[in-house]
Amino acid sequence: MTPTISDTENRMDERTHGRQVVDQTESGTTLEHVEDDQRTREATICVVGLGYVGLPLAVGFAQSNYQVIGYDVDETTVERLQDGEDTTGDLSDAAVQNDDISYTTNATAISDAEYVVIAVPTPIRDDDRPDLSFVESAGTTVGSKMSAGTTVILESTVYPGSTREVLVPKLEDASGMTAGEDFFVGYSPERATPGDEEHGLSDVVKVVSGQTEAVLDDVADLYESVVDAGVHRAPSIEVAEASKVVENTQRDLNIAFVNELSVALEHMDVDTQDVLDAAGTKWNFHDYQPGLVGGHCIPVDPYFLSYRSEQEGFDPELMQTGRKVNEAMPGHVADLTIKALNQCHKTLRDSRVLVLGLSYKPGVGDLRSSKVSKVVDTLNEYDIHLEGFDPIANPDAATETFDLEVQENLSFEDFDAIVLATPHDEFTQIDPEAVASELADDPALIDVSGAIDEDEAVDAGFTYRRV
């Protein structure tokens, strides 16, 4: 049954909607700003999606004395959280055991929240088009359960226009209510950085937006209460949506430049890092390093921006070229490995190569979207015997994800080469001389990010290559 205005009025009498109150008029429900921090803290917030974005957000709100409902469709994730286990590896077991958070797979709990924050994945399809199916599904679920007067805030990465064009219709269809009259919508792009303790939720300025100035004020007040760094009020939802994909597209393009530079300099027999060190002495030179570009943001977000741009009739060639360059880097790393083995007079099909670091970035165990897998796939084409090791990632998950044997305990014995793909701290502290003594004669070290000192590696007897 569609809620009536009187239904909404009665509900708001029972509990005040945080810093906002509902004014019932003939045209429906409107939002007025209320400067009262204590009343906001009494609001209940439901976070939909308890991954690397949603869970820290739920914990952050709970630590700021909000009542929080953590909702996810994954029963295993919820059960682990109910047992007090941090499922992201970025928080702590103690943090997720906050008494102000309840974890559930029961969507009915959404109806108890004044604010619903949606933080579900937005991957790309095999054809590089955005996949917003999780946002659509969340919109249907939230819409079917939310109460009148609720404010829904999307945090998932999307292309400009998605909140109004994709999420809002799902919310309206499932609820029978009208956005801007019976419920309210905002957008605040996530800026989560897994494995980075210095840039957590409270430490990074939060971009916020709302469908009206009153909603923007309310959403800004909500996030200001948990983000010490403050908020930036975007003038529209579309600006906030675009800002997220632009942040990572900019990084993708800059990394693509130094990646292409590294390949060009490799052909010239000029050391890339030496060039960057020299160029970096100029005051306005930007420091970017070549390497593999994996993860859930940098290699994904440019596709969102390109997709939307193409819909409007403009083909963004530079963005697309940058993506092609970075997607080619795993092949370049594999090529460096083959050249190093040849230089060491190794027969490829008789060679044994150990890949150190399988996750997409140092300090995290997330194997999804790791470009190391493409390095492995290319080397497998040459019948090279490959093994891998990652001190953080789950060995069973790594074995399932990568087409190679994964060591549970690190052993260098009798390998012909090491590919240091992801420089976890455990690897940057290794002694090249001690490692070389365990390897086969004339070993090679392919150090993707330059984590090991080249002179020390060469002195230890390695044939050394880096991107």
Side-chain angles (χ1 to χ4, degrees):
M1 179 180 296
T2 302
T4 64
I5 295 300
S6 59
D7 291 333
T8 305
E9 190 171 35
N10 290 336
R11 179 170 177 79
M12 298 313 297
D13 285 341
E14 294 173 3
R15 49 140 180 84
T16 302
H17 190 184
R19 279 192 179 91
Q20 64 190 45
V21 295
V22 175
D23 175 29
Q24 307 304 331
T25 67
E26 291 182 359
S27 61
T29 306
T30 60
L31 196 64
E32 293 182 354
H33 188 62
V34 178
E35 291 293 341
D36 187 341
D37 183 67
Q38 182 57 39
R39 288 162 70 185
T40 297
R41 302 300 176 119
E42 292 173 357
T44 297
I45 301 169
C46 179
V47 177
V48 176
L50 299 175
Y52 77 97
V53 173
L55 184 60
L57 191 63
V59 169
F61 280 125
Q63 290 175 340
S64 296
N65 300 320
Y66 289 96
Q67 290 296 313
V68 179
I69 299 164
Y71 169 78
D72 200 291
V73 296
D74 190 314
E75 293 183 359
T76 301
T77 295
V78 171
E79 287 173 0
R80 290 172 62 191
L81 289 169
Q82 289 173 338
D83 290 338
E85 180 183 352
D86 172 22
T87 53
T88 66
D90 274 345
L91 301 167
S92 67
D93 290 347
V96 303
Q97 293 168 14
N98 193 307
D99 290 339
D100 289 330
I101 310 178
S102 60
Y103 304 103
T104 183
T105 58
N106 184 357
T108 303
I110 294 171
S111 64
D112 294 329
E114 287 87 5
Y115 299 91
V116 177
V117 182
I118 298 175
V120 294
T122 48
I124 53 173
R125 304 181 190 275
D126 291 340
D127 61 359
D128 297 332
R129 296 172 61 223
D131 179 1
L132 299 188
S133 60
F134 293 103
V135 172
E136 293 175 331
S137 178
T140 297
T141 299
V142 171
S144 68
K145 303 299 180 183
M146 69 180 181
S147 302
T150 299
T151 297
V152 180
I153 305 166
L154 180 61
E155 285 223 4
S156 303
T157 299
V158 293
Y159 55 80
S162 299
T163 302
R164 297 186 201 270
E165 298 168 12
V166 177
L167 177 62
V168 167
K170 292 295 182 180
L171 293 169
E172 291 183 329
D173 288 347
S175 67
M177 295 187 282
T178 302
E181 296 180 6
D182 307 305
F183 68 94
F184 314 100
V185 178
Y187 181 81
S188 180
E190 58 89 0
R191 280 178 165 169
T193 308
D196 187 346
E197 295 181 359
E198 296 182 3
H199 297 95
L201 173 65
S202 66
D203 307 311
V204 180
V205 173
K206 200 82 164 70
V207 176
V208 297
S209 63
Q211 64 187 134
T212 65
E213 284 298 321
V215 176
L216 173 59
D217 287 340
D218 187 61
V219 172
D221 287 345
L222 176 68
Y223 280 103
E224 281 177 336
S225 68
V226 296
V227 179
D228 293 339
V231 304
H232 173 84
R233 300 180 182 219
S236 71
I237 288 176
E238 288 74 19
V239 167
E241 291 168 326
S243 71
K244 168 60 179 177
V245 289
V246 165
E247 291 171 16
N248 288 314
T249 300
Q250 180 193 58
R251 287 181 55 77
D252 193 47
L253 286 170
N254 279 288
I255 297 170
F257 168 69
V258 293
N259 274 339
E260 187 171 67
L261 178 69
S262 71
V263 177
L265 292 173
E266 171 75 18
H267 283 77
M268 302 176 201
D269 197 25
V270 177
D271 187 88
T272 302
Q273 191 57 53
D274 288 345
V275 172
L276 294 176
D277 288 343
T281 60
K282 190 166 188 259
W283 72 91
N284 60 352
F285 186 82
H286 292 182
D287 182 22
Y288 283 88
Q289 296 295 312
L292 301 175
V293 184
H296 313 287
C297 293
I298 296 177
V300 173
D301 293 3
Y303 293 117
F304 282 81
L305 199 55
S306 295
Y307 173 78
R308 183 59 172 172
S309 179
E310 289 169 352
Q311 281 188 320
E312 300 301 323
F314 177 73
D315 190 23
E317 295 182 9
L318 183 59
M319 298 180 207
Q320 295 168 350
T321 300
R323 280 281 71 236
K324 291 177 182 177
V325 169
N326 286 338
E327 285 297 307
M329 286 309 289
H332 179 59
V333 171
D335 185 52
L336 289 178
T337 304
I338 292 166
K339 288 180 178 178
L341 287 169
N342 284 333
Q343 187 176 344
C344 296
H345 307 290
K346 307 286 185 178
T347 302
L348 293 182
R349 65 178 52 199
D350 295 329
S351 297
R352 302 179 73 246
V353 174
L354 176 62
V355 182
L356 294 182
L358 304 175
S359 64
Y360 81 92
K361 66 179 288 188
V364 302
D366 196 342
L367 300 168
R368 298 169 300 168
S369 301
S370 172
K371 298 304 179 183
V372 181
S373 63
K374 291 189 176 182
V375 177
V376 170
D377 290 344
T378 303
L379 292 176
N380 272 327
E381 295 176 5
Y382 294 87
D383 293 328
I384 297 170
H385 175 81
L386 297 172
E387 292 185 22
F389 176 76
D390 193 297
I392 301 176
N394 180 281
D396 293 335
T399 300
E400 184 177 343
T401 302
F402 293 83
D403 188 15
L404 81 172
E405 179 182 339
V406 178
Q407 298 181 359
E408 292 193 13
N409 298 300
L410 179 59
S411 172
F412 296 103
E413 188 173 357
D414 293 332
F415 282 96
D416 296 289
I418 293 173
V419 177
L420 179 48
T422 307
H424 295 300
D425 288 343
E426 291 85 345
F427 301 145
T428 61
Q429 305 301 319
I430 64 175
D431 180 355
E433 187 171 348
V435 172
S437 67
E438 298 183 41
L439 299 169
D441 294 338
D442 300 320
L445 173 60
I446 298 83
D447 185 6
V448 174
S449 62
I452 304 298
D453 184 88
E454 180 177 1
D455 292 336
E456 291 184 13
V458 171
D459 289 344
F462 283 102
T463 293
Y464 182 89
R465 294 288 184 114
R466 68 182 176 202
V467 173

